[in-house]
């Protein structure tokens, strides 16, 4: 039997829960210790807020434009198509394995304990880095709303020493806040996250409306390459794809929260796909609208100021600040969603006794129904990562690039084993849930979609990790900064190998149940 989490407290909300969802979870060998309170919208909000187009496009628009010019827009539909292939595979797995810590759980069941452990390990590190990278995005908007938010120096640009230092301060404060919210309960997290996502969707619609009613040029702008970086355009275009690649990840969050979602076999697959699709549509319209509405494409303001420059140019002070406040809300719930997903992954691995301090990390607070120590661990490690980069003007691009590469590799540790299993005949049945409702499945298209998802994942991982000086050392730096992504991956694997060796012999393999290897 799989090692379970802390025993239920008599009379707790989940202690008397005999629902079909809890019975279903028990088939995998786990006690239902988390509070199952998330409905369809809350599940969608978890994925949408992790993707968070307002957060990530505001962060990266200037970066993408500075490399590819206006034609970098085409990286958006290309990345969406590739990531949707991955999401289709994840949706099928979410229907079959509705368990917290989904990347680890899926990979372990498809490829065995070692591969699954490293998938979880890579994802944990990626989520810590991603949470830190998302949190520093507050620097992009808060000083613009009010100069008092610039607590260090006067230069607000993330690429300056003052801006980078202030970003670390604001980001650390945000991580402290999201840690507190994650500790006090999934219901509070869901309320805040759902409210934040609603505000973000309103903000997205407002931004799109402003841009498309204040255009200075037509949609043909997306064919312009004259503002691209020097050198062959294909190279600039590939580098500009970092923006879209950074935005369209985290849609698997609905799977991470499966044990807190009502009817997860039906809900999680659809919210995984809808979170990515809605984000892609909204983000694409924002990109097109910004390019059409920007006062100038050639004076350098669009590359340096990004979307904030366009909004400030098209709106009066007060409406513009309201839109930026929506962006600040989006950044907050994005960081919250990333930390929540990461804490559930830590909890899931610790419950199987796969991590150091597993007993503490697998403990669920009897009142709040949350794994407290995983949330605290991610918050503290994220803040520590920011403090290590205090004053580093390249912190933004470096952290973002590294976390994307890690996420893509973690995804590959699911899609590659899944493809191998499909070739061998998985799934052999037409599965249904407890009520007999057919589960989401790719059917005869599974192998083709899965194979394309693997090719896509490999190509993007190589592209994103490629040591480009314009990305990793824009203001100069050592060779280790230039090779930050591949070096970070190697170090993560090396440290992971040591941790895995220390943990596994003492605790033995995780026993399987019939449901786990379906």
């Amino acid at each position: 039997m799989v090692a379970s989490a802390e025993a239920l407290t008599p009379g707790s909300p989940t202690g008397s829960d005999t629902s079909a969802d809890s019975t279903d979870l028990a088939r995998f060998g786990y006690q239902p210790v988390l509070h199952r309170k998330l409905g369809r919208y809350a599940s969608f909000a978890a994925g949408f807020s992790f993707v968070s187009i307002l957060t990530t496009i505001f962060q990266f628009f200037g970066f993408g434009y500075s490399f590819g010019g206006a034609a970098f827009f085409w990286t958006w539909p290309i990345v969406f198509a590739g990531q949707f292939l991955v999401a289709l595979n994840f949706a099928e797995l979410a229907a079959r394995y509705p368990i917290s810590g989904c990347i680890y759980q899926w990979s372990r069941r498809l490829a065995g304990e070692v591969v699954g452990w490293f998938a979880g390990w890579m994802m944990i590190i990626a989520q810590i880095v991603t949470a830190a990278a998302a949190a520093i995005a507050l620097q992009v908007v808060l000083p613009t709303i009010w100069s008092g938010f610039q607590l260090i120096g006067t230069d607000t640009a993330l690429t300056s020493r003052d801006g980078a230092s202030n970003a670390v301060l604001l980001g650390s404060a945000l991580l402290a806040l999201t840690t507190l919210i994650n500790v006090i309960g999934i219901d509070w997290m869901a309320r805040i996250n759902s409210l934040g996502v609603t505000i973000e969707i309103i903000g997205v619609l407002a931004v799109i409306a402003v841009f498309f009613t204040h255009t200075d040029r037509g949609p043909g702008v997306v064919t312009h390459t004259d503002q691209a970086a020097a050198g062959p355009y294909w190279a600039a275009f590939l580098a500009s794809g970092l923006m879209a690649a950074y935005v369209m990840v985290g849609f698997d969050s609905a799977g991470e929260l499966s044990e807190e979602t009502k009817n997860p076999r039906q809900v999680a697959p659809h919210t995984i796909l809808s979170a990515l699709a809605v984000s892609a549509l909204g983000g694409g319209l924002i990109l097109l609208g910004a390019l059409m509405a920007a006062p100038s494409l050639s004076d350098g303001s669009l590359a340096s100021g990004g979307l904030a420059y366009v909004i400030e140019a098209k709106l009066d002070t007060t409406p513009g600040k309201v839109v930026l406040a929506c962006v600040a809300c989006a950044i907050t719930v994005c960081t919250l969603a990333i930390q929540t997903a990461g804490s559930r992954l830590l909890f899931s691995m610790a419950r199987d006794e796969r991590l150091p301090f597993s007993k503490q990390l697998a403990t669920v607070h009897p009142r709040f129904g949350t794994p407290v120590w995983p949330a605290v661990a991610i918050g503290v490690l994220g803040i520590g990562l920011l403090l290590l980069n205090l004053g580093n003007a390249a912190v933004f691009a470096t952290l973002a690039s590294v976390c994307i590469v890690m996420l893509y590799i973690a995804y590959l540790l699911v899609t590659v084993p899944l493809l191998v299993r499909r070739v061998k005949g998985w799934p052999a049945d037409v599965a249904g849930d407890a009520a007999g409702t057919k589960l989401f499945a790719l059917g005869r298209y599974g192998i083709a979609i899965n194979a394309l998802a693997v090719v896509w994942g490999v190509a993007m991982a190589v592209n994103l990790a490629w040591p480009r000086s314009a990305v990793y050392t824009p203001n100069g730096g050592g060779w280790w900064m230039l090779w930050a992504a591949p070096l970070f991956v190697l170090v993560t694997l090396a440290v992971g190998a040591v941790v895995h060796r220390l943990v596994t012999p003492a605790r033995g393999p995780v026993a399987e149940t019939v449901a786990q290897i379906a």
Side-chain angles (χ1 to χ4, degrees), residues 144-442:
T144 304
I145 295 174
W146 178 48
S147 60
F149 285 116
Q150 185 65 31
L151 302 170
I152 300 177
T154 57
D155 192 340
T156 62
L158 265 174
T159 52
S160 69
R161 186 176 181 86
D162 287 352
S165 298
N166 200 67
V168 168
L169 182 61
L170 294 178
S172 298
L174 177 55
L175 283 168
L177 174 63
T178 57
T179 299
L180 176 62
I181 295 171
N182 263 307
V183 165
I184 62 177
I186 187 63
D187 44 356
W188 274 102
M189 178 271 168
R191 290 188 193 115
I192 293 170
N193 196 50
S194 296
L195 176 62
V197 165
T198 302
I199 293 172
E200 180 173 4
I201 291 173
I202 293 172
V204 167
L205 295 174
V207 169
I208 292 171
V210 168
F211 288 168
F212 277 89
T213 55
H214 295 78
T215 58
D216 286 359
R217 61 194 62 82
V221 66
V222 297
T223 63
H224 295 186
T225 61
D226 48 313
Q227 299 303 317
Y233 186 72
W234 64 266
F237 186 79
L238 288 176
S240 71
L242 176 64
M243 187 217 74
Y246 180 67
V247 176
M248 285 187 267
V249 293
F251 43 83
D252 55 290
S253 291
E256 297 285 4
L257 299 176
S258 288
E259 292 181 35
E260 292 152 283
T261 303
K262 300 172 185 176
N263 192 19
R265 287 185 183 269
Q266 297 294 336
V267 170
H270 293 96
T271 52
I272 285 172
L273 298 176
S274 61
L276 180 57
V278 172
S279 298
L281 176 61
L285 290 173
I286 288 176
L287 292 178
L288 178 59
L291 293 169
M292 293 169 61
S296 173
L297 299 177
S298 58
D299 66 357
S301 297
L302 192 56
S304 61
L307 292 189
Y309 155 69
V310 184
I311 289 174
E312 290 170 4
K314 298 301 179 181
L315 287 178
D316 293 333
T317 302
T318 300
K321 290 185 184 299
V322 170
V323 172
L324 291 175
C326 290
V327 179
C329 287
I331 294 168
T332 300
V333 296
C334 175
T335 307
L336 177 63
I338 295 168
Q339 188 177 22
T340 303
S343 67
R344 279 17 177 210
L345 176 56
L346 270 175
F347 163 77
S348 185
M349 294 184 71
R351 177 172 56 182
D352 287 350
E353 297 186 339
R354 299 296 92 187
L355 294 172
F357 309 107
S358 284
K359 182 178 180 181
Q360 291 79 12
L361 293 172
T363 299
V364 174
H365 193 282
R367 177 184 173 189
F368 300 139
T370 55
V372 172
W373 288 112
V376 172
I378 291 177
V380 170
L381 290 172
I383 292 172
L385 187 59
L386 290 180
L387 293 177
L388 284 175
N389 287 276
L390 187 64
N392 176 13
V395 59
F396 175 59
T398 301
L399 281 179
S401 302
V402 165
C403 74
I404 301 169
V405 174
M406 297 287 286
L407 283 166
Y408 272 75
I409 292 175
Y411 286 177
L412 280 170
L413 290 176
V414 174
T415 55
V416 172
L418 178 58
L419 179 59
V420 173
R421 290 289 296 272
R422 286 190 195 279
V423 171
K424 293 180 178 180
W426 186 96
D429 62 321
V430 179
D433 61 15
T437 306
K438 185 179 178 181
L439 298 179
F440 179 89
L442 298 179

Side-chain angles (χ1 to χ4, degrees), residues 56-70 72 75 158-159 227-229 235-246 287 300-307 394 396-398 400-401 404 463-464 466 468-474:
T56 44
I57 293 179
F58 259 78
Q59 281 179 301
F60 268 92
F61 183 92
F63 178 93
Y65 183 80
S66 66
F67 275 96
F72 96 100
T75 62
L158 265 174
T159 52
Q227 299 303 317
F237 186 79
L238 288 176
S240 71
L242 176 64
M243 187 217 74
Y246 180 67
L287 292 178
S301 297
L302 192 56
S304 61
L307 292 189
F396 175 59
T398 301
S401 302
I404 301 169
N463 177 40
L464 295 168
W466 202 259
R468 300 178 178 92
S469 59
V471 173
Y472 292 102
T473 55

Side-chain angles (χ1 to χ4, degrees), residues 6-19 22-23 31-37 364-367 369:
E6 193 84 352
L8 290 171
T9 299
S12 68
T14 53
S16 59
D17 188 358
T18 57
S19 68
S22 296
T23 302
Q31 294 182 30
V33 294
L34 301 174
H35 291 186
R36 198 177 291 275
K37 295 186 175 183
V364 174
H365 193 282
R367 177 184 173 189

